[in-house]
Amino acid sequence: MNSEQPLRVVVWGENVHEQTMPRVAALYPRGMHGAIAEGIREHLPAARVETATLQEPEHGLSAARLAEIDVLTWWGHHAHDQVSDAVVERVHRRVLEGMGLIVLHSAHFAKIFRRLLGTSCSLTWREAGERERLWVCNPGHPIAQGIDRCFELPEEEMYGEPFGVPPPDEQVFISWFEGGEVFRSGCCWRRGNGKIFYFRPGHETYPTYHDANVRRVIANAVAWARPEGRWVDAVVNVKEPRERIAPKPSAQ
Amino acid sequence: MNSEQPLRVVVWGENVHEQTMPRVAALYPRGMHGAIAEGIREHLPAARVETATLQEPEHGLSAARLAEIDVLTWWGHHAHDQVSDAVVERVHRRVLEGMGLIVLHSAHFAKIFRRLLGTSCSLTWREAGERERLWVCNPGHPIAQGIDRCFELPEEEMYGEPFGVPPPDEQVFISWFEGGEVFRSGCCWRRGNGKIFYFRPGHETYPTYHDANVRRVIANAVAWARPEGRWVDAVVNVKEPRERIAPKPSAQ
Amino acid sequence: MNSEQPLRVVVWGENVHEQTMPRVAALYPRGMHGAIAEGIREHLPAARVETATLQEPEHGLSAARLAEIDVLTWWGHHAHDQVSDAVVERVHRRVLEGMGLIVLHSAHFAKIFRRLLGTSCSLTWREAGERERLWVCNPGHPIAQGIDRCFELPEEEMYGEPFGVPPPDEQVFISWFEGGEVFRSGCCWRRGNGKIFYFRPGHETYPTYHDANVRRVIANAVAWARPEGRWVDAVVNVKEPRERIAPKPSAQ
Amino acid sequence: MNSEQPLRVVVWGENVHEQTMPRVAALYPRGMHGAIAEGIREHLPAARVETATLQEPEHGLSAARLAEIDVLTWWGHHAHDQVSDAVVERVHRRVLEGMGLIVLHSAHFAKIFRRLLGTSCSLTWREAGERERLWVCNPGHPIAQGIDRCFELPEEEMYGEPFGVPPPDEQVFISWFEGGEVFRSGCCWRRGNGKIFYFRPGHETYPTYHDANVRRVIANAVAWARPEGRWVDAVVNVKEPRERIAPKPSAQ
């Protein structure tokens, strides 16, 4: 990434609930992806922030476009199965090369997240409009900058442990729920050359992506996940050794 | 460790509050260490479980005795500074060699724990007799065997995030507190050849070490932390190379 | 796993080179899987060690049989693509539940290994019959028991860094190659409830699986990877909260 | 760190061999620290790069100066014991707050490194002027930018495994030695809010810190280790809960 050049961000949205549930459409008239993109633009005015959705050809993620993305955010819930395996394969390769990936809420079950982590990514859940309080575990982490010791969302879906993921490289947030559960709600991993951040909040029936703290966290995560190098992975047959190999008896 | 031979466990107790606070003496007439040892014996009847306290010569941890310990549990609070640096050094070396170490509650600030982890081990706290609920993050982990999805302690001191430790190798429990906080309350690390488990509950003014779930977790942790090999660490000057080293111009 | 019951091990072999290359057939008249199984039996006489191959119905890994396996070892090279996705899915689920998996040599590119780790698993390579020396990084690790500071294989295929895997939880061996490369040749990961060990040596044209050190390492790894609990992963809708959730204005 | 402000780097040198060994003085007329600082200035011209040595008051690391350092590099060998514990304590606290630390060669045994990692940091060694080849394990890592698949140093001291450290968060380099050993020669860890990089080469009797690749790696590491936030660690008694705590029977 040339540091002169703006950070290129694509906010991917499943965009199904917005079409089928009036409550969601009312909360997010420009789509959940629209609200997420707006929040990133607020905090990273120099970035070039675009959106892409499931319904576009190749889900808006053609090979040519993907090659130009620095950080991709992903929200999905109802239609994980409709995401084509070819696109998942392509996104997977780009993350290993160095593209950042921000995985939001119910995208814990997105094909791309499960493929990168290799585990079940399962959890427990409840929809009861309860209060969530996200505690910062790592106040110096770039993703927590500008956030107080904790912040609250007055109503959210609950996700509870056990969360079926490999141990995070860094734990940024853990959530407390009014109904009695806890959840590792902000987790970092590195895979290949790419950085991955999972961020829990964001159920479609609440105005979570209009929340000031949530927007700041997502923008911080986008900046954190920017590529810092590029690894074009290759299986190389290195025929010429760098040192002399002694002839072996069995080779006779 | 010879598998024929019983597991040799020492429960170390600071044993100060038991002498100075009637409430603690009433809860733990044989000392907190006595109750902890009793719980381990219940679950690991084949183990040889002894105790040691701050007040004994060398705090009950002479070099000769330490050499025979497979797993050491540690509770301290008021008198971390009175633990001699020579004993800490000795325990440290034994953990790197393979001795298991179970660190309990306020021993997050024990010299030995800070030395092994290298970080501040700081946290937030409140004494308000509130309810704690410990959630299992990893139901298949040996330390969680026999424990339901979660268990509760009706009254405990609160410890809150941020917990100033390196990311745990494995997260076994996370706590929910009635007053609104969360905490990584069961954490595993490997250092050198030794296994370390930190377990949060156990404030001296509550009957926590009489609780059936707490006892089971500690006994599970003791079994998990048993040595699996022994590494006698040494700085070796390997004068003879295994391959021929070509003479270099500068050596002339 | 009932500790009274023998450890149940299955050695899976692709079993293609043994049929098509006389040199391999001569080295391994009962198959590479046969030699690997023999080595495990030598060191773990109480274990029940069986084999399974690609050519059997369901590759010898029916759901019923898999449910009874404690540790599976995997060697493949030429025919990764012929392993059915349904079997891979099934093995994947069993590893997350707690079955140990030992991945050997060219199985770094097996579907099951890439799926569990989520990365490219790529590397560099050379076939030149060169000497490999495996150094122990962690002399107290159970997998290194009985192994000296290092051991040598007189002729092996070379695998070189970069090895496209997530950072291992524990590094047990690193290889030095006569031709000038290095490789992380013994790596441990935990995924879900299962333990995974990757062990580099084992090219089909060399007698590697007859080597005493290699056999000991594989047997040690099988014992290390035994299940220690069982996690039946489930997505649970926990409708009843454990704490009272206050009514929210928006719910009216 | 204000991004407008130059990165503030201090190169710390033990500066003993330069005074006592003519061969070292000849190689490094302005000290090893002088050569290291020069290399960083070449690659990071906007940084403010200064030096400090053991012989200065407070070893050149007063509290006031440390508070203004973004990244500190550390070379020591002969005089680890002469570094005052008060200065080590102060550097330790600054790393946890977010200051980057680059630990060079024989500083694997520096008090500050052992304190941060909590392990023995032991290794094997040989002085035979042998060739070292450093392989890149992670070609997309910021510390490896501008480095080819590997690079060579014609003569170096050998360090061999086992290296007594906790598993690195990221492995950037592994070394191959002419005499037959391997070593994890470029390792990253995070502790508290600080980033730590250990880089193996740099024996005092060779011109290693004049090598172009070595200089680039050190400069890359300095840039990578820059602070990204600041955590003023504190133990806080949070007397007021955020949620109502029900009165308990025992409190009566």
Side-chain angles (χ1 to χ4, degrees):
Chain A
M1 190 180 76
N2 185 327
S3 64
E4 306 290 316
Q5 183 179 311
L7 192 68
R8 299 160 303 176
V9 183
V10 168
V11 174
W12 193 88
E14 187 182 272
N15 192 31
V16 169
H17 296 301
E18 294 93 326
Q19 313 306 321
T20 59
M21 296 172 67
R23 188 178 174 188
V24 179
L27 281 169
Y28 295 109
R30 280 182 299 276
M32 301 178 75
H33 48 282
I36 295 166
E38 191 179 81
I40 298 171
R41 283 186 204 110
E42 271 172 34
H43 289 281
L44 300 174
R48 193 194 71 194
V49 184
E50 302 175 343
T51 62
T53 59
L54 178 68
Q55 296 77 20
E56 299 172 33
E58 301 185 74
H59 314 319
L61 298 171
S62 68
R65 192 181 193 191
L66 258 179
E68 304 283 313
I69 299 178
D70 293 316
V71 182
L72 179 66
T73 77
W74 195 278
W75 193 100
H77 178 219
H78 188 73
H80 294 317
D81 287 350
Q82 295 173 38
V83 178
S84 95
D85 288 337
V87 168
V88 172
E89 168 69 24
R90 197 184 281 169
V91 173
H92 184 235
R93 206 175 323 128
R94 275 291 291 144
V95 172
L96 298 184
E97 274 177 17
M99 183 181 74
L101 182 70
I102 313 301
V103 176
L104 298 169
H105 188 62
S106 41
H108 71 95
F109 264 166
K111 286 178 181 178
I112 182 61
F113 189 58
R114 300 172 83 167
R115 177 154 188 171
L116 278 160
L117 295 193
T119 55
S120 68
C121 304
S122 64
L123 45 80
T124 73
W125 56 283
R126 175 174 57 236
E127 272 195 69
E130 67 200 272
R131 194 162 66 259
E132 175 177 13
R133 180 180 299 112
L134 293 102
W135 286 95
V136 174
C137 299
N138 195 338
H141 196 282
I143 296 181
Q145 296 313 294
I147 303 293
D148 206 346
R149 288 188 163 276
C150 66
F151 70 95
E152 293 189 15
L153 297 169
E155 293 181 65
E156 253 294 347
E157 183 181 16
M158 182 282 289
Y159 280 6
E161 293 282 340
F163 187 20
V165 291
D169 298 343
E170 301 172 275
Q171 189 71 52
V172 186
F173 299 103
I174 294 179
S175 286
W176 178 101
F177 287 96
E178 192 181 2
E181 277 86 357
V182 296
F183 194 73
R184 286 173 284 176
S185 50
C187 303
C188 301
W189 295 270
R190 282 169 183 74
R191 286 298 179 267
N193 204 32
K195 302 200 202 78
I196 304 165
F197 182 63
Y198 175 79
F199 189 46
R200 200 213 73 82
H203 191 60
E204 63 271 11
T205 60
Y206 306 112
T208 298
Y209 294 119
H210 297 303
D211 180 84
N213 283 304
V214 167
R215 287 185 165 200
R216 181 178 282 270
V217 169
I218 294 174
N220 285 345
V222 164
W224 167 83
R226 71 191 180 285
E228 296 180 283
R230 181 164 180 156
W231 177 358
V232 182
D233 213 21
V235 184
V236 181
N237 185 355
V238 201
K239 287 192 180 161
E240 288 308 307
R242 290 174 190 261
E243 306 284 335
R244 183 176 168 274
I245 296 174
K248 298 297 181 306
S250 77
Q252 291 163 4
Chain B
M1 192 180 71
N2 185 327
S3 65
E4 306 290 316
Q5 182 180 309
L7 192 68
R8 299 159 305 175
V9 182
V10 169
V11 174
W12 192 87
E14 186 182 273
N15 193 31
V16 169
H17 296 301
E18 293 92 327
Q19 313 306 323
T20 59
M21 296 172 68
R23 187 178 175 187
V24 178
L27 280 168
Y28 295 109
R30 281 183 297 276
M32 300 178 75
H33 49 282
I36 295 166
E38 191 179 82
I40 298 171
R41 282 186 205 109
E42 271 172 33
H43 288 282
L44 301 173
R48 194 194 71 194
V49 184
E50 302 175 343
T51 62
T53 59
L54 178 67
Q55 296 77 20
E56 298 172 34
E58 301 187 74
H59 314 320
L61 297 172
S62 67
R65 192 181 193 192
L66 258 178
E68 305 284 313
I69 299 177
D70 293 316
V71 182
L72 180 66
T73 77
W74 195 278
W75 193 101
H77 179 220
H78 189 72
H80 294 317
D81 287 351
Q82 294 173 37
V83 177
S84 95
D85 288 338
V87 169
V88 172
E89 168 69 23
R90 198 183 281 169
V91 174
H92 184 235
R93 205 174 323 127
R94 275 291 291 143
V95 172
L96 298 184
E97 275 176 17
M99 182 182 74
L101 183 70
I102 313 301
V103 177
L104 297 169
H105 189 62
S106 41
H108 72 94
F109 264 167
K111 287 178 180 177
I112 182 62
F113 189 58
R114 298 172 83 167
R115 177 151 188 174
L116 278 160
L117 294 193
T119 55
S120 68
C121 303
S122 64
L123 45 79
T124 72
W125 56 282
R126 176 175 56 236
E127 272 195 69
E130 66 200 271
R131 194 162 64 260
E132 175 177 14
R133 181 180 298 111
L134 293 102
W135 286 95
V136 174
C137 298
N138 196 338
H141 197 281
I143 296 181
Q145 296 314 293
I147 304 293
D148 206 347
R149 290 190 161 273
C150 65
F151 70 94
E152 293 189 15
L153 296 168
E155 293 181 64
E156 253 294 348
E157 183 181 16
M158 183 281 290
Y159 279 6
E161 293 283 339
F163 187 20
V165 290
D169 298 343
E170 301 172 274
Q171 189 71 52
V172 186
F173 299 103
I174 295 178
S175 285
W176 179 101
F177 286 97
E178 191 180 1
E181 277 87 356
V182 296
F183 195 73
R184 286 172 285 175
S185 50
C187 302
C188 302
W189 295 271
R190 281 169 183 74
R191 285 299 179 268
N193 206 30
K195 301 199 202 81
I196 303 166
F197 181 64
Y198 175 78
F199 189 47
R200 199 213 73 82
H203 191 59
E204 63 271 12
T205 60
Y206 306 112
T208 299
Y209 294 119
H210 297 303
D211 180 85
N213 283 303
V214 167
R215 288 185 165 199
R216 181 179 281 271
V217 169
I218 295 174
N220 285 346
V222 164
W224 168 82
R226 72 191 180 285
E228 296 180 282
R230 182 164 180 157
W231 176 357
V232 182
D233 213 20
V235 184
V236 181
N237 185 353
V238 201
K239 289 191 178 161
E240 287 309 305
R242 290 174 191 262
E243 305 284 336
R244 182 175 170 274
I245 296 174
K248 298 298 182 306
S250 76
Q252 291 163 5
Chain C
M1 191 180 71
N2 185 328
S3 65
E4 306 290 316
Q5 181 180 310
L7 192 68
R8 299 160 303 175
V9 183
V10 168
V11 173
W12 193 88
E14 186 182 273
N15 193 32
V16 169
H17 297 300
E18 294 93 326
Q19 313 306 320
T20 59
M21 296 172 68
R23 187 177 175 188
V24 179
L27 281 168
Y28 295 109
R30 281 182 297 276
M32 301 178 75
H33 49 282
I36 294 166
E38 190 179 81
I40 298 171
R41 282 186 205 110
E42 271 172 34
H43 289 281
L44 300 174
R48 193 195 70 195
V49 184
E50 303 175 342
T51 62
T53 58
L54 178 68
Q55 296 76 22
E56 299 171 34
E58 302 186 73
H59 314 320
L61 298 171
S62 67
R65 192 181 192 191
L66 258 178
E68 304 284 311
I69 299 177
D70 293 316
V71 182
L72 179 67
T73 77
W74 195 279
W75 193 100
H77 179 219
H78 189 73
H80 294 318
D81 287 349
Q82 295 173 38
V83 178
S84 96
D85 289 337
V87 168
V88 172
E89 167 69 23
R90 197 184 281 169
V91 173
H92 184 236
R93 206 176 321 128
R94 275 292 290 145
V95 172
L96 298 183
E97 275 176 16
M99 182 182 75
L101 183 70
I102 313 302
V103 176
L104 297 169
H105 189 62
S106 40
H108 72 95
F109 263 167
K111 286 178 181 177
I112 182 61
F113 189 58
R114 299 172 83 168
R115 177 152 188 174
L116 278 160
L117 295 193
T119 55
S120 68
C121 303
S122 64
L123 45 80
T124 72
W125 56 283
R126 175 174 58 237
E127 272 195 70
E130 66 200 272
R131 195 163 64 260
E132 174 177 15
R133 181 180 298 111
L134 293 102
W135 285 95
V136 174
C137 299
N138 195 338
H141 197 282
I143 296 180
Q145 295 314 294
I147 303 293
D148 205 346
R149 287 188 164 276
C150 66
F151 70 94
E152 294 188 15
L153 297 168
E155 294 182 64
E156 253 293 348
E157 183 180 17
M158 182 281 289
Y159 280 6
E161 293 283 339
F163 187 20
V165 291
D169 298 343
E170 301 172 275
Q171 189 72 51
V172 185
F173 299 103
I174 294 178
S175 286
W176 178 101
F177 286 96
E178 191 180 1
E181 276 87 356
V182 296
F183 194 73
R184 286 173 283 176
S185 50
C187 303
C188 302
W189 295 270
R190 282 169 183 74
R191 286 298 180 266
N193 204 33
K195 302 200 201 78
I196 303 165
F197 182 64
Y198 175 78
F199 189 47
R200 199 213 74 82
H203 192 60
E204 63 271 11
T205 60
Y206 307 112
T208 298
Y209 294 119
H210 298 302
D211 180 85
N213 284 303
V214 167
R215 287 184 165 200
R216 181 178 280 270
V217 169
I218 295 174
N220 285 345
V222 164
W224 167 83
R226 72 190 181 285
E228 296 181 282
R230 182 164 179 153
W231 177 358
V232 182
D233 215 20
V235 184
V236 181
N237 185 355
V238 201
K239 288 191 178 162
E240 287 309 306
R242 289 173 192 263
E243 306 284 336
R244 182 175 169 275
I245 296 174
K248 298 298 182 304
S250 77
Q252 291 163 5
Chain D
M1 190 179 73
N2 185 328
S3 65
E4 305 289 317
Q5 181 180 311
L7 192 69
R8 299 159 305 176
V9 183
V10 169
V11 173
W12 193 87
E14 186 182 272
N15 193 32
V16 169
H17 296 301
E18 294 92 326
Q19 313 306 321
T20 59
M21 297 171 67
R23 186 177 175 189
V24 178
L27 281 169
Y28 295 109
R30 281 183 298 276
M32 300 178 76
H33 48 282
I36 295 166
E38 192 179 81
I40 298 171
R41 282 186 205 109
E42 272 172 32
H43 289 282
L44 301 173
R48 193 194 72 195
V49 184
E50 303 175 342
T51 62
T53 58
L54 179 68
Q55 296 77 20
E56 299 172 33
E58 301 185 75
H59 314 321
L61 297 172
S62 67
R65 192 180 193 194
L66 259 178
E68 304 284 312
I69 299 176
D70 293 317
V71 182
L72 179 67
T73 76
W74 196 278
W75 193 101
H77 179 218
H78 189 74
H80 294 318
D81 286 351
Q82 295 173 38
V83 178
S84 96
D85 288 337
V87 169
V88 172
E89 167 68 24
R90 198 183 281 169
V91 174
H92 185 235
R93 206 174 322 126
R94 275 292 291 145
V95 172
L96 298 184
E97 275 176 16
M99 182 181 74
L101 183 70
I102 313 301
V103 177
L104 298 169
H105 189 62
S106 41
H108 72 94
F109 264 167
K111 286 178 182 178
I112 182 61
F113 189 58
R114 299 173 83 167
R115 176 152 189 173
L116 278 160
L117 294 193
T119 54
S120 68
C121 302
S122 63
L123 45 79
T124 72
W125 56 283
R126 175 175 57 236
E127 271 195 70
E130 67 200 272
R131 194 161 66 259
E132 175 177 13
R133 181 180 298 112
L134 293 102
W135 286 95
V136 175
C137 299
N138 195 338
H141 197 281
I143 296 181
Q145 296 314 294
I147 304 293
D148 206 346
R149 288 190 163 274
C150 66
F151 70 95
E152 293 188 16
L153 296 168
E155 293 181 66
E156 252 296 346
E157 183 181 16
M158 182 283 289
Y159 280 5
E161 293 283 340
F163 187 19
V165 291
D169 298 343
E170 301 172 275
Q171 190 70 52
V172 186
F173 299 103
I174 294 177
S175 285
W176 179 101
F177 286 97
E178 192 180 1
E181 277 87 356
V182 295
F183 195 73
R184 285 172 285 176
S185 50
C187 303
C188 302
W189 296 270
R190 282 169 183 76
R191 285 299 178 267
N193 204 32
K195 301 199 202 81
I196 304 165
F197 181 64
Y198 175 79
F199 189 47
R200 199 214 73 83
H203 191 59
E204 63 272 11
T205 60
Y206 307 112
T208 299
Y209 294 119
H210 298 302
D211 180 85
N213 283 303
V214 167
R215 287 186 165 199
R216 182 178 281 271
V217 169
I218 295 174
N220 285 346
V222 164
W224 167 82
R226 72 191 181 284
E228 295 181 283
R230 181 165 180 154
W231 176 359
V232 182
D233 214 20
V235 184
V236 181
N237 184 355
V238 202
K239 288 191 179 162
E240 288 307 307
R242 290 174 190 261
E243 305 285 335
R244 182 175 170 275
I245 296 175
K248 298 298 183 304
S250 77
Q252 291 163 4

